[in-house]
Amino acid sequence: MDRFSWTTGLLELGETLVVQQRGVRLGDGEEKVKFGSGVLLLSTHRLIWRDQKNHECCIAVPLSQIVFIEEQAAGIGKSAKIVVHLHPASSKKEPGPFQSSKYSYIKLSFKEHGQIEFYRRLSEEITQRRWESMPTGQAMQVNKDSQAGRIRAVGIVGIERKLEEKRKETDKNISEAFEDLSKLMEKAKEMVELSKSIASKIKEKQGDITEDETIRFKSYLLSMGIANPVTRETYGSGTEYHMQLAKQLAGILQAPLEERGGIMSLTEVYCLVNRARGLELLSPEDLVNACKMLESLKLPLRLRIFDSGVMVIELQSHNEEEMVAAALETVSEKGSLTADEFAKLVGMSVLLAKERLLLAEKMGHLCRDDSVEGLRFYPNLFLTQS
Amino acid sequence: AGKGFWAELLGVGDFYYELGVQIIEVCLALRHRNGGLIRLQELQLQVQKGRGKFAQDVSQDDLLRAIKKLKVLGNGFGIIPVGGTFLVQSVPAELSMDHTVVLQLAEKKGFVTVSEIQASLKWETERAKQVLDHLLREGLAWLDAQAPAEPQFWLPALFSELRPHEEPPATP
């Protein structure tokens, strides 16, 4: 609660009210504070709390101080809450009700409901970061006037000067836009650092963190593109999303797999699924993560990785080792076959045909003849005729 | 989770994932010709063709980003730097430093000979032959045994940059 500052509660120039909710109690981390019943206001720039009885008592915290927010569902005798995790207070913060706090988060208790809407709006504001493009305060007014004063010449000189002004203005806008980008990059760096430190803390205290919290935290990391440092056998590198996706894939791929002899390479799957989707395409990582969960979710397909690194999806009912026996027969009939020839004969992709022949070789059924004319496979006569 | 925080923030996810599909399809279609190795410019040309006249332009940087994402699918996507540009590999063929360096040497003319390798790289005959044989076996190089001075090893992946008076052999 030491991030809050006293305020008049009046909105500043450029600041707009987004939503407000009565009956909100503030909490400092896990402790209660004397801000028990108030109106919580969300603006484009700040989170403001005003006491319902004493309107003079009004505090606010800038939205830029927020790291991330979480919802806490209501329980018996407990209202629904929003937990707001905050950056440490900056040294030039205006004075507020608390000088220090041992917590880096506050809790907003919604005694008269309204938390769903409030959470949604707060998420939006944090994502859009409108406070960065709408500087508040009196300064803007002054600039406008001085600029309007300058451009007032006439004739060719005047036109030239106007063009020069416009060029400078564009230049300024471009560099300001890049400033935003560099600010974004800085924030991104901060968030990544924070996540890494939290992740390593979790690793150390593995016993104390509940399953549910760990899953939630992993999903934050994954959504920010950070590889998962905490792995558990039962979940692999998956999250709720990947679990749902895996179930979806099982449905979509059943028929295509049956058409293709029970096996498809992961690149084929990627193309098939994304072509079918049209919009909201899957990233390769999401596809791989979902496929890694197929087996543990007991779905009728599984991911298999060959020695060469080639990844395929096969039907549970598909047995590659049995297919090898059939492949051996085919090769014996023809005397010898290359991967290309075998592929054409059987109607498979060259990639998977090669994998099958290599597997047959690994199992000892085939021998290779590796020359500049290509890789050719023969039945392993050393085995059968010894 | 799902699309990811950054993809949603910057709105670029779908563009790269669709591009991934198009890259896979082009590489698959041309594999029988170039063995699974293609110049980045050639890939760009073919992908643009497939996308049609009214589609958004695709830069080489876009292609490289999309390919980097495809690597996780485990089917052999790789990027090899040669002579200021890149070759895109789309099959799981093992290409060592030796193979890469010979590809770079061949880049200027589209083909390379054992003597050239000996002269530029100072390798022994055995080493040069081994590398060239591997490229032949993987289908990345074609042998012209009837070239005037000595056998020439041509790389289909490099064909589009040939100057008019140099021609590839008639049969692979």
Side-chain angles (χ1 to χ4, degrees), chain A residues 127 184 188 219 223-224 241 265-267 270-271 274-275 279-288 309-311 351 370-372, chain B residues 1-6 9-10 14 16-18 20-22 24-25 31 69-70 72-75 77 91-92 133 136-138:
Chain A
T127 317
L184 179 66
S219 72
S223 79
M224 284 196 283
Y241 169 70
S265 77
L266 213 56
T267 36
Y270 177 77
C271 288
N274 275 343
R275 280 276 178 228
L279 285 176
E280 299 254 320
L281 303 183
L282 292 185
S283 72
E285 291 98 348
D286 278 342
L287 180 64
V288 173
V310 168
M311 293 163 92
L351 188 79
D370 207 351
S371 72
V372 293
Chain B
K3 286 189 69 175
F5 178 76
W6 297 117
L9 198 60
L10 304 169
D14 270 16
Y16 286 109
Y17 307 147
E18 179 170 25
V21 173
Q22 290 160 346
I24 292 171
E25 292 177 345
R31 189 167 301 171
K69 290 184 189 299
L70 290 177
V72 77
L73 295 176
N75 285 61
F77 270 93
V91 285
D133 277 356
L136 280 175
R137 274 201 303 269
E138 293 292 343

Side-chain angles (χ1 to χ4, degrees), chain B residues 2 11 14 19 61 64 67 83-85 88 92 96 99 110 119 121 142-143 154 164:
Chain B
D14 270 16
L19 192 54
D61 188 71
L64 290 174
I67 292 166
T85 177
V88 174
S96 67
H99 300 121
L121 304 175
W142 296 351
L143 174 63
W154 289 81

Side-chain angles (χ1 to χ4, degrees), chain B residues 20 24 34 49 63 68 80 84 109 118 142 147-148 156 161 167:
Chain B
I24 292 171
N34 59 31
K49 261 202 230 168
L63 292 170
K68 285 196 184 122
I80 303 168
K109 294 189 291 185
Q118 284 172 319
W142 296 351
E161 285 286 76
E167 279 180 1

Side-chain angles (χ1 to χ4, degrees), chain A residues 116-338:
Chain A
I116 297 177
E117 179 67 13
F118 205 92
Y119 180 83
R120 191 175 72 80
R121 298 304 205 111
L122 184 53
S123 296
E124 260 178 42
E125 290 306 315
I126 301 176
T127 317
Q128 286 175 15
R129 302 180 79 88
R130 287 196 275 174
W131 66 86
E132 282 177 0
S133 50
M134 288 153 61
T136 53
Q138 303 295 318
M140 239 173 64
Q141 198 71 14
V142 177
N143 280 345
K144 268 208 188 119
D145 284 335
S146 67
Q147 264 198 1
R150 270 192 295 186
I151 312 165
R152 226 192 308 169
V154 292
I156 302 217
V157 172
I159 295 174
E160 279 186 338
R161 230 180 269 163
K162 278 195 195 150
L163 287 176
E164 179 62 26
E165 288 298 338
K166 191 152 183 199
R167 191 192 64 76
K168 280 210 198 117
E169 191 60 33
T170 312
D171 250 352
K172 191 157 84 82
N173 288 340
I174 291 179
S175 34
E176 272 174 10
F178 277 113
E179 247 177 63
D180 280 351
L181 194 64
S182 53
K183 276 201 210 134
L184 179 66
M185 299 300 271
E186 261 178 57
K187 266 289 131 79
K189 218 167 131 213
E190 275 176 46
M191 285 166 78
V192 170
E193 287 309 318
L194 179 66
S195 304
K196 280 194 184 149
S197 79
I198 294 177
S200 56
K201 285 198 190 127
I202 283 190
K203 228 168 145 184
E204 292 162 32
K205 294 174 68 182
Q206 199 128 39
D208 298 353
I209 312 289
T210 67
E211 197 92 348
D212 187 55
E213 280 175 281
T214 313
I215 295 173
R216 256 192 314 165
F217 182 66
K218 276 190 320 198
S219 72
Y220 289 135
L221 290 187
L222 249 142
S223 79
M224 284 196 283
I226 299 171
N228 187 7
V230 181
T231 48
R232 301 231 175 157
E233 287 314 306
T234 43
Y235 294 97
S237 55
T239 65
E240 185 63 41
Y241 169 70
H242 292 121
M243 267 193 259
Q244 293 306 320
L245 188 55
K247 292 183 190 149
Q248 243 182 54
L249 288 173
I252 302 172
L253 297 173
Q254 184 76 26
L257 277 169
E258 281 166 13
E259 283 167 35
R260 289 166 177 70
I263 186 168
M264 280 173 77
S265 77
L266 213 56
T267 36
E268 278 179 273
V269 171
Y270 177 77
C271 288
L272 195 117
V273 170
N274 275 343
R275 280 276 178 228
R277 282 186 155 221
L279 285 176
E280 299 254 320
L281 303 183
L282 292 185
S283 72
E285 291 98 348
D286 278 342
L287 180 64
V288 173
N289 285 334
C291 288
K292 283 187 178 151
M293 299 184 81
L294 288 170
E295 191 128 34
S296 60
L297 289 174
K298 309 248 186 306
L299 291 164
L301 341 161
R302 59 168 170 251
L303 175 69
R304 182 180 181 147
I305 307 179
F306 287 112
D307 292 342
S308 59
V310 168
M311 293 163 92
V312 299
I313 300 293
E314 12 171 68
L315 288 171
Q316 282 284 7
S317 55
H318 178 94
N319 188 334
E320 188 68 9
E321 279 72 13
E322 275 169 15
M323 307 305 281
V324 160
L328 175 58
E329 268 188 54
T330 315
V331 175
S332 305
E333 267 172 50
K334 299 286 175 181
S336 74
L337 288 174
T338 63

